[in-house]
Amino acid sequence: MRDDSRRWIEADRSHCWHPFTRQSEWCRKDPLVIVRGEGVWLWDSEGNRYLDGNSSIWTNVHGHHHPTLDAAIRAQLDQVAHTSYLGFAHPRASELAERLCGLFPEGTLERVFFSDDGSTAIECAVRMALQYRLNRREPQTRFIAFENGYHGDTLGAASLGGVGRFTSTVSRFGLEVTRVAAMEDLETLSPGAIAEVAAVIIEPLIQGVNEMRPWPSGMLAELRRWCDRHGVHLILDEVMTGFGRTGTMFACQREDVIPDFLCLAKGLTGGYLPMAATLTTGRIYDAFLGGTDLAFYYGHSYTANPLGCAAALASLEIFETERTLEALQPKIARMTDLLSELSASYPEVHEVRQCGLVAGIELRRTDGSKFPAAERIGEEVCLAASKHGLLTRPILDTVVLMPPLSVSMDELEFATNAIGAAVHDCFGA
Ligand SMILES: *Cc1c(COP(=O)(O)O)cnc(C)c1O
């Protein structure tokens, strides 16, 4: 191992604390130190190259080191890196808000509140939904959220989540939540229970952290109708699904749904910088006008960071110049074919779940039963895949394949071949 790799790993071991990580175990292994990226490829400090099969935790859209994105950030850097959005406007935020609203039909989502990451985009929607009711002297304070949903890690956002291993430590401190499994459960709620509900929150089309599980087709449109019938707001968490992942710019467009709040983050800046946006309607916004006690007292120091806004604008420009969404359709079809070949070749591939260019490959024993959790098969297969040049992560025993949208047909094949080789290494022929 090179001296500098050794030095970085030692400092990590001595001083760093990683997200969602059992540190005791982490410190027993040498992590890869990622030093460079180009397109869908990443290099570690030892000079090895890997395909970024997880889009750097679901953020990267157009590839790394993209000339347009790099230039946009450099140009902004030559002006100013950060200025306060509290008390001042700035060019890139004005342009970006206008551009984001322009992606939706006129008179629908027309206001943008910027924040820093997925969790704060959710936090912001939740706070708006609650204060909307307060401002209008309406009594609703409860949220409906779906079982196994994931909405981030700040206290409010985490309490909406339904994945036990992430939320068991926080749910009792958080929001008032009614948890449902599916549309049918909503239909059985009593009028009294519904009368307490301010908003429903959902990850549209596909639940990410819940091992990449798509919803039944038509469900989102049905949920929108249910919300309209009962005067309940709809919050869409498109933190993962936004910016092309599911095949359209936003997942909600697949079922012609306009939410009352739309939360965007991960892919907003093309995966370059931490930045988020909560979009809402003129109707909601209007409830915050008037007396000072109606104003939305919420924000963060880096709200609407100009570098982030510049990156987001450049990313939207790339969607046009590279015709990203048009180019995506054949890639999605190719991914489907490659994954069905994978599934046919290896009996341990129990199920492949795909939505757009997002896939979950669930591994089970050949008799269809789950592997014991302690065997951590998903992790083992991903470790083996890295030896074949693919970086990705499992969710339990589901291997995620979610490359940047800029991935080529050959690179898609490389990625699925690496998963095949990894499954072969772990289970034999
Ligand atoms: C990642 C994610 C979040 C949280 O975003 P952070 O940027 O990690 O705070 C929220 N919702 C969904 C659906 C996500 O995938």
Side-chain angles (χ1 to χ4, degrees), residues 39 52 55-56 58-66 69-70 73 96 242-243 245 265-275 307-319 404-406:
D52 187 1
S55 289
S56 291
W58 312 355
T59 58
N60 194 280
V61 179
H62 306 293
H64 299 279
H65 205 261
H66 191 291
L69 275 155
D70 292 7
I73 293 170
L96 178 58
F243 302 101
R245 293 287 173 202
K266 291 189 171 104
L268 173 61
T269 59
Y272 263 55
L273 288 162
M275 161 139 214
L307 294 173
C309 291
L313 280 163
S315 173
L316 292 174
E317 185 190 319
I318 296 168
F319 269 100
L405 306 188
S406 60

Side-chain angles (χ1 to χ4, degrees), residues 19-261:
F20 301 106
T21 300
R22 284 179 258 200
Q23 283 290 136
S24 49
E25 191 176 314
W26 171 267
C27 290
R28 284 200 293 272
K29 290 184 267 193
D30 288 340
L32 299 183
V33 180
I34 304 297
V35 294
R36 190 164 74 81
E38 183 77 50
V40 300
W41 301 96
L42 294 171
W43 279 261
D44 69 13
S45 55
E46 294 294 293
N48 301 307
R49 186 180 86 147
Y50 307 90
L51 196 149
D52 187 1
N54 203 32
S55 289
S56 291
I57 200 70
W58 312 355
T59 58
N60 194 280
V61 179
H62 306 293
H64 299 279
H65 205 261
H66 191 291
T68 309
L69 275 155
D70 292 7
I73 293 170
R74 285 201 188 98
Q76 181 58 43
L77 205 47
D78 284 337
Q79 298 298 316
V80 65
H82 183 66
T83 53
S84 172
Y85 203 54
L86 171 62
F88 304 97
H90 72 75
R92 298 297 90 76
S94 301
E95 290 161 5
L96 178 58
E98 188 173 61
R99 192 85 185 255
L100 287 171
C101 293
L103 297 171
F104 296 90
E106 215 174 312
T108 59
L109 297 171
E110 26 185 50
R111 285 286 159 182
V112 181
F113 195 98
F114 291 111
S115 59
D116 308 333
D117 49 46
S119 305
T120 53
I122 300 291
E123 221 49 66
C124 171
V126 161
R127 297 273 299 260
M128 282 179 180
L130 287 173
Q131 197 183 327
Y132 172 89
R133 303 289 177 171
L134 270 179
N135 286 1
R136 293 175 38 114
R137 302 185 187 289
E138 295 173 357
Q140 293 88 338
T141 53
R142 186 167 274 278
F143 290 85
I144 291 177
F146 286 83
E147 275 173 18
N148 296 309
Y150 178 79
H151 302 292
D153 290 306
T154 53
L155 193 52
S159 71
L160 291 169
V163 179
R165 63 190 185 283
F166 294 126
T167 60
S168 55
T169 53
V170 301
S171 53
R172 67 201 166 98
F173 305 115
L175 299 160
E176 298 166 43
V177 181
T178 299
R179 220 170 288 288
V180 296
M183 269 317 293
E184 296 80 72
D185 294 353
L186 286 178
E187 303 295 355
T188 65
L189 292 177
S190 71
I194 295 171
E196 295 179 9
V197 178
V200 179
I201 184 165
I202 188 170
E203 296 158 84
L205 293 196
I206 178 168
Q207 287 186 319
V209 172
N210 185 22
E211 301 164 71
M212 298 299 171
R213 228 167 276 278
W215 291 110
S217 143
M219 184 263 205
L220 187 61
E222 205 184 323
L223 180 61
R224 176 72 274 186
R225 286 193 294 274
W226 185 92
C227 288
D228 289 341
R229 240 181 358 259
H230 297 289
V232 165
H233 287 144
L234 177 62
I235 303 174
L236 291 189
D237 178 350
E238 292 231 27
V239 171
M240 178 191 87
T241 54
F243 302 101
R245 293 287 173 202
T246 69
T248 47
M249 193 58 137
F250 302 105
C252 60
Q253 294 168 324
R254 293 268 298 274
E255 297 197 4
D256 269 325
V257 163
I258 303 282
D260 300 286
F261 300 96

Side-chain angles (χ1 to χ4, degrees), residues 353-403:
R353 297 182 285 269
Q354 184 186 353
C355 178
L357 207 65
V358 175
I361 299 147
E362 184 174 347
L363 304 166
R364 291 208 189 170
R365 287 173 167 146
T366 50
D367 66 5
S369 64
K370 292 189 179 191
F371 290 104
E375 287 184 21
R376 294 158 74 181
I377 289 297
E379 278 178 43
E380 203 183 304
V381 168
C382 288
L383 181 66
S386 73
K387 315 280 186 224
H388 295 282
L390 175 74
L391 290 187
T392 188
R393 284 185 67 84
I395 304 168
L396 305 178
D397 288 343
T398 294
V399 174
V400 174
L401 182 60
M402 187 173 174

